[in-house]
Amino acid sequence: MSRRRHSDDSDAGQPHKRRRTSEPSEIEERLESLICRVGEKSNSSLESNLEGLAGVLEADLPNYKSKILRILCTVARLLPEKLTVYTTLVGLLNARNYNFGGEFVEAMIRQLKECLKVNMYNEAVHLVRFLSDLVNCHVIAAPSMVAMFENFVSVTQEEDVPQVRCDWYMFAFLSSLPWVGKELYEKKDAEMDRLLSQTESYLKRRQKIHVPMLQVWTADKPHPQEEYLDCLWSQIQKLKKDRWQERHILRPYLAFDSILCEALQHNLPPFTPPPHTEDSVYPMPRVIFRMFDYTDDPEGPVMPGSHSVERFVIEENLHCIIKSHWKERKTCAAQLLSYPGNNKIPLNYHIVEVIFAELFQLPSPPHIEVMYTTLLIELCKLQPGSLPQVLAQATEMLYMRLDTMNTTCVDRFINWFSHHLSNFQFRWSWEDWSDCLTQDLEKPKPKFVREVLEKCMRLSYHQRIIDIVPASFSVLSPANPVCIYKYGDESNRSLPGYTVALCLTIAIKNKASNDEIFSILKDVPNPNQDDDDDEGFTFNPLKIEVFVQTLLHLAAKSFSHSFSALAKFHEVFKTLAESDEGKLHVLRVVYEVWKNHPQMIAVLVDKMIRTQIVDCAAVANWIFSSELAHDFTRFYIWEILHSTIRKMNKHVLKIHKELEETKARLARQHKRRDSDDDDDDDNRSSDREDGPLEEQIERLQEKVESAQSEQKNLFLVIFQRFIMLLTEHLVRCETGGIDVFTPWYKSCIERLQQIFLQHHQIIQQYMVTLENLLFTAELDHHILAVFQQFCALQA
Amino acid sequence: CPPRGPGRAAMCSGGTLSILRSDSYADLSQYRDQHFRGTRYDQERLLRKSCTLYVGNLSFYTTEEQIHELFGKSGDIKKVIMGLDKVKKTACGFCFVEYYARGDAENAMRYINGTRLDDRIIRTDWDAGFKEGRQYGRGRSGGQVRDEYRQDYDAGRGGYGKTVQCQ
């Protein structure tokens, strides 16, 4: 017989209390679960499930109306891939309960206004689309929807507003038309024609300077990289030409037409778009990524054309599925593969295209890069007979088009492909790519293969890579990542500092202290000065060379060994690298020792920044120095630079956060005091209390300002160096009469673009300085164009 | 199951949906380190805010560099501590990866756990935090417990299990 548990006793004691507190949230959970799950795979048809659910909800309306309203509004906002399922549900509810329909529409408008107020524009589009599909469900009267769209389109007439604001309202209108265009045109064709003609004139006059910066390929063949509004407009024009016949979207409400057309409709209240404010941040423009067309899958169902509205709807829905399930890779893969219309569209191709569209999206992918690698692996697991082939085909196509692919996108391609291969024993038909062997190593294809092999090596080991590629590819194989110690051989004993290096080696092996190291280093002459300071601690490149070479060589065994070495001799490092030249020289020596092992260079630079042996500006200057010119176009250099910028950005954010938290603590302290104090006598004691916090705030304020200044300086240094480098090249080409557009130039100018794109939010703060100081009208137009494209992104 | 708090505040009145909150890869597993000094409650509190992951089923030949490259894909790594055989002081097939930010560790749980390193499916799990001594295997022979008793031959993990080897 089982022991009665304590909880059973309390249950018997207070049954009502327990049930009362758990019931409402249980019911809400149940309602949410019922609503969210409708439309999933089921034994019954979707129609009968919807009908059943409508009945359940109708019955629950008296008690749980506000909860049901909230849940329905939320699914409208967050599950746009199931748009028509939920509009049908709302339609059925409206048919049974007119007041509820009205309240739902009001709630949706309130939610839409809220979203626009807090810059949640992507979710606002889903709400607008939902409202428009409610016209099809006889919940909203068509004329009132047209009126709302008229207000949207009239935003394009506003003066002195950013183009991206007008773009959003235009997009919200156009992107709803696949769902509701037919119905609106049938009811209000004159008004719709007017709206469409206003759309056309807006699209003709809007500027598109930003487009080149966002394109994945610079070439228009085989697929043009269209600006998103242009592409959508072409799709809507074609839809109109087809008399608004749209056959892809699943419309469950059609089955309920007899019920729904009996329902009374509601009019949308007049909707005034909230005005533009300083705090408004609109979505960035996009370029539509296309890599497949109907010729790529000749066996299977035909892929809808690039200007067909079906293509738009499929892509929107697949993107929404990824957005909903990005944290759950198995669910995400399953949901993608169960997208309806499986046998009418080449779904695998659409999925692969949409995933690469996100992976290559500029400025940044919507989700962390590694997610896409793992998602594709999950998809391969679920469809082992078909998806891997599509992926291989895609890889081949991407390789073929490397010559015109944006450098940032090539980086992502390299990362994805090498990581993907590492999950499949590095099996690939490398011989298919032997065409790259005859090309100049700086050309995109051989460069890509080299970088891929280097990344593959980092995930395995050197010999493995030698083994997996054909012998002919050895010219592209990565170097064996061994350390180069200049004082290693007896034959180097004539090098200055050789004996000190030997001395140091013995001392370090015998666990010498920092002080002992200093005294050994004192004997190193300074090649820069004839009469040395007595201090001996001014910039002495030879001292740095001997110490850093020796230490790194001794600690070469692993990252951990090297990190320990940096930590143990931190004091020596700090002293030797006190000056800017010192910092630069440390970095130079690190490179000399580890140039075969870029990964080691990267982690050492990271550690040295974090332990303040070098600063971010030093790293930036080092990257642009002539010593690194040979490696300037290699991927690892830019990984290091962007990692450095990110560390700087995180540092600023961290101190800022500390400042805000301390301010909040002070505010709370005030509040506590105000509520405790009835008599306001002792002002001095409250000042005393505030003292330490106020001091802290002042210190932190200074820290923030200093960090922000360092951050701005870092960007200015980087931009300055780019301008110098590019100008030099342009002048040389002009005077020599040679073509500007070398592989190096393409890489360099796109790396400049990458700085703007990857850190655009921070850089926006410096626009005035950049315009007045660096990107002035005297600059060569090639370089100025990059700046102008960047400005156009949020204009 | 413990009642959840309001969850991350969404800016709109609607909040979010529990099916979209699902994050099973980043949730705590059933495993609890039996050697943990402290209460179950303390342990779970630490696991829930930890930035450190335990990584298992590594090959004995997998290096710190490979681990750094793979796990670096979800964010900046603070430290990698290789698991060692207590007797031989050589790698014995596990390690700890500590990130600066928990979000980066979560992404590793979502996207690196269950994928391959050195051709082996590796497994990651939350760790309450590295303490000196935890880098050693707890098997009687010095390696990990799982290598004491397993019957299969695994070339990347010293061949047969220790008890099999002793036969």
Side-chain angles (χ1 to χ4, degrees), chain A residues 47-63:
Chain A
E47 286 78 22
S48 66
N49 284 336
L50 280 171
E51 204 158 21
L53 181 55
V56 167
L57 294 179
E58 191 195 1
D60 279 332
L61 278 181
N63 294 321

Side-chain angles (χ1 to χ4, degrees), chain A residues 146 150 184-197:
Chain A
V146 175
E150 281 170 343
L184 293 185
Y185 206 78
E186 272 173 18
K187 296 276 154 57
K188 288 273 177 184
D189 63 340
E191 285 79 358
M192 286 296 288
D193 273 332
R194 198 164 40 233
L195 283 179
L196 292 175
S197 115

Side-chain angles (χ1 to χ4, degrees), chain A residues 610-651:
Chain A
R610 289 186 191 273
T611 54
Q612 299 173 317
I613 292 171
V614 300
D615 57 27
C616 296
V619 175
N621 278 317
W622 167 65
I623 283 178
F624 285 94
S625 69
S626 50
E627 286 87 0
L628 238 43
H630 180 259
D631 277 7
F632 189 73
T633 56
R634 279 181 67 184
F635 189 5
Y636 83 91
I637 292 292
W638 300 96
E639 285 185 317
I640 292 177
L641 184 60
H642 284 282
S643 169
T644 302
I645 299 174
R646 273 197 310 272
K647 278 191 274 287
M648 183 80 247
N649 295 343
K650 281 189 187 157
H651 174 67

Side-chain angles (χ1 to χ4, degrees), chain A residues 32 70 74 77 114-115 326-330 371 374 423 458-460 464 558-560 599 610, chain B residues 12-15 18 20 22-25 64-66 69-70 76 78 100 110-111 113 116 119:
Chain A
E32 192 182 290
R70 187 190 64 76
T74 310
R77 184 166 53 89
E114 258 182 71
C115 278
W326 62 274
K327 293 196 298 278
E328 296 280 1
R329 66 207 213 205
K330 283 197 168 64
M371 185 278 274
T374 309
N423 274 271
R458 291 197 198 187
L459 289 168
S460 59
R464 186 85 194 274
S558 75
F559 288 176
S560 285
Q599 193 194 10
R610 289 186 191 273
Chain B
C12 275
S13 56
S18 58
L20 295 180
S22 175
D23 198 1
S24 62
Y25 287 89
E64 184 187 347
E65 288 70 16
Q66 286 171 276
E69 177 70 15
L70 181 60
D76 290 338
K78 187 169 179 187
Y100 290 100
R110 292 182 191 123
Y111 308 120
N113 185 16
R116 290 184 192 267
D119 302 315

Side-chain angles (χ1 to χ4, degrees), chain A residues 514 547 551 555 559-574 604 607-608 611 613, chain B residues 79:
Chain A
N514 280 281
F547 172 67
L551 187 66
F559 288 176
S560 285
H561 287 82
S562 296
F563 297 158
S564 294
L566 286 182
K568 182 154 202 271
F569 296 103
H570 184 249
E571 213 190 310
V572 181
F573 270 106
K574 284 285 278 187
L604 285 175
K607 214 40 126 189
M608 290 192 294
T611 54
I613 292 171
Chain B
K79 197 159 193 191

Side-chain angles (χ1 to χ4, degrees), chain A residues 155-216:
Chain A
V155 169
T156 61
Q157 303 296 329
E158 286 176 7
E159 289 183 359
D160 294 323
V161 292
Q163 181 175 285
V164 284
R165 169 180 166 85
C166 307
D167 283 352
W168 184 82
Y169 283 96
M170 191 53 74
F171 180 71
F173 163 56
L174 287 176
S175 68
S176 304
L177 294 184
W179 281 266
V180 76
K182 181 155 183 278
E183 187 66 24
L184 293 185
Y185 206 78
E186 272 173 18
K187 296 276 154 57
K188 288 273 177 184
D189 63 340
E191 285 79 358
M192 286 296 288
D193 273 332
R194 198 164 40 233
L195 283 179
L196 292 175
S197 115
Q198 282 175 325
T199 301
E200 184 162 25
S201 61
Y202 171 69
L203 292 178
K204 277 211 180 85
R205 69 171 191 267
R206 70 190 275 272
Q207 61 83 356
K208 292 195 289 225
I209 306 173
H210 53 273
V211 172
M213 205 176 215
L214 302 176
Q215 286 175 320
V216 171

Side-chain angles (χ1 to χ4, degrees), chain B residues 143-164:
Chain B
Q144 289 198 281
V145 170
R146 57 200 294 257
D147 292 310
E148 287 292 313
Y149 304 110
R150 62 178 173 77
Q151 303 285 314
D152 62 320
Y153 182 83
D154 188 341
R157 289 183 77 95
Y160 288 105
K162 292 291 162 50
T163 28
V164 171

